[in-house]
Every structure is written in structure tokens, then in C-alpha cells.
Amino acid sequence: MRHANWLILALSIPCLSNTALAASASAGASLDWSTFSVSTISLGAGTPMLTWIDSSYSASTSAITSGPDISQTDFVPDWGTGSLSSAGDSSTQAWAEIAADAISANASDVNPTGGSSATASAIRHGEFTVSGNGLILFSVTYSLAIDFYPDGYSPSSNATASATLGAAKATASSNSNHLAYELLFPASPNGLAHSERKTGTLYLPVVVADGETYSFYAQATSSAAISGSTDVPSVPLPAAVWPFVSGLIGLAGASLSRRRIA
């Protein structure tokens, strides 16, 4: 009986080569608004002063699901009020939130059959005027995360997360745009799994002129889409395992032969 158990073990080991994680893609991005700061720096002609004249924000989400496509946008005309948006079904979800102390966007997709995706975006908008000339420095800390476990190779599978600060003159030209930007976007050749985290601080310096009006925004975005075959990719066993398996089978066979002779 003991040798029969060896044989069962030997024959079951190759089955491990087909074990892998289920397909999924998820991403999250957030800005810690409690760390948001605005500094003014003189460039030799006095220190500039900033005055906010407008502030608003929006949280928007969209999800392409196995059922109907779903999208939602929540627009709030004042930074002092919270905002929340969500869309999706049990397998494809997107949600974005703006609170007093955070801006966050999250997306998740666990439907590997293809055609499903989720995106989320949370944005604070504002306009300000400037008196004096100099430099204004905006800063805020961010956190980004992605987890990507594809089920079979598919170049359309992805997970992305980004954080952005931007500013431009109200009479914007291509030379007056300013951006601070961080992105997580895994390149996954052959459908390899990828998980990554990134934290830091965005710094956005803007040279300003007296009497000008500027637009400003802070944004967190994320997206997720998983597709591929429903067959889980094989994970090959190390070459050294096979002599061990052959030995077990040989022992089991020899034992069975001795029992027949007896």
C-alpha cells in the first residue's frame, strides 16, 4: 500500500505545472490632500501673492462590463464638499472619491473573457489670480499601486495608475502649460504577472506674472482591463524534478513485480 501511495504522488506531481493565479487587474491612485501646500518665491521683483477665485472638482468613473456599459460623473462646485462616483458590476468595477483630505481613483477587472475594462478619475479644479512676479510652487504627496495577473497572453490587458498636478495661463498657449506627473504602467511581455507600489511628492513650479489668471488641477486616475484565454498558463517544473519522479515510479513498479512473483 505504501508503494502505491508513492505512485499516486509521482503521477500527481506533473499536475502542479498547471497551477497559477486567477486572472485579475487592479490599479489605485491617490493624492493626500492634507499635504497639499502652496509656496511663493521671489525672483528678484517682489514676492507674488495668489488669490483663488474659483474652485470645483469632479469624480468620474466608467466601466465596460459583461452587461451594459456603465458610466457616472459627479460634479461639485466647491472644494469643501465631498464627491463620490462608482460604476460596474461584480467583476468590473471603478470608483473615484474626493474628500477633504484625499483624492483617489480605483479600478478593478477580474473578467478574463475580453471586452471588459474600468477607468476612474478624480480631479480638483481651480483658478487663481496673481499680484506680483515670481514663482509659485505647488506640492502634494501621492501613492500609486498596480496588481496585474493576466490569464494567458493578451496585449490588451493592462493596469495603470497616475497622479498629476497641472497649471496654465487662462489664455493658455502651448508654452504656458506646466505639469508634474507620475505613472505606473507595467509592460508585461508574454502575460507575466506584475505588482508594484510607488509613493512620493509631486512638485509643480509655475513662473507667474502680475495680473495674470491661471487654471490649476490635481488629478488621480486609474484603469484596469484583463483579457486572454480561459486556459491558465502552465508553470513548468524544474528539470531536476523529473529524475525524482522517474525514480518513484520505478520503485512502485519493482514493488508490484515482487508481489506478483511472491
Side-chain angles (χ1 to χ4, degrees):
M1 182 68 180
R2 183 177 57 204
H3 295 304
N5 290 336
W6 288 359
L7 179 59
I8 293 172
L9 173 63
L11 294 176
S12 66
I13 287 177
C15 297
L16 297 175
S17 65
N18 289 323
T19 302
L21 291 170
S24 66
S26 62
S30 65
L31 299 174
D32 183 354
W33 204 247
S34 67
T35 68
F36 178 70
S37 67
V38 182
S39 304
T40 57
I41 302 171
S42 172
L43 296 180
T47 301
M49 302 244 344
L50 176 151
T51 302
W52 292 101
I53 59 173
D54 178 61
S55 61
S56 63
Y57 53 75
S58 61
S60 63
T61 52
S62 65
I64 301 173
T65 69
S66 55
D69 298 348
I70 304 169
S71 64
Q72 178 180 334
T73 299
D74 184 21
F75 177 81
V76 179
D78 190 296
W79 281 6
T81 308
S83 177
L84 175 65
S85 175
S86 63
D89 60 10
S90 60
S91 63
T92 307
Q93 300 178 340
W95 59 101
E97 182 175 9
I98 299 178
D101 59 353
I103 303 172
S104 59
N106 301 275
S108 174
D109 186 18
V110 295
N111 182 358
T113 57
S116 60
S117 64
T119 60
S121 177
I123 309 173
R124 283 186 186 264
H125 304 271
E127 285 194 354
F128 61 91
T129 59
V130 174
S131 59
N133 301 288
L135 184 142
I136 296 178
L137 180 65
F138 301 93
S139 66
V140 67
T141 61
Y142 67 88
S143 298
L144 305 176
I146 54 172
D147 293 288
F148 184 67
Y149 301 103
D151 181 6
Y153 174 67
S154 174
S156 64
S157 298
N158 69 79
T160 65
S162 66
T164 308
L165 291 181
K169 287 184 181 180
T171 55
S173 67
S174 59
N175 294 326
S176 65
N177 296 324
H178 305 269
L179 283 178
Y181 182 71
E182 288 291 342
L183 170 70
L184 283 186
F185 177 71
S188 291
N190 301 318
L192 297 177
H194 187 89
S195 183
E196 190 173 352
R197 304 288 184 271
K198 188 174 185 179
T199 60
T201 303
L202 291 176
Y203 294 98
L204 177 66
V206 182
V207 177
V208 296
D210 182 62
E212 292 283 359
T213 300
Y214 296 82
S215 62
F216 167 85
Y217 72 94
Q219 181 175 13
T221 61
S222 63
S223 66
I226 198 77
S227 62
S229 69
T230 56
D231 298 325
V232 178
S234 294
V235 179
L237 289 171
V241 171
W242 294 110
F244 172 71
V245 174
S246 299
L248 288 177
I249 294 174
L251 285 173
S255 175
L256 291 173
S257 297
R258 285 196 299 271
R259 294 174 100 182
R260 290 193 188 99
I261 291 172

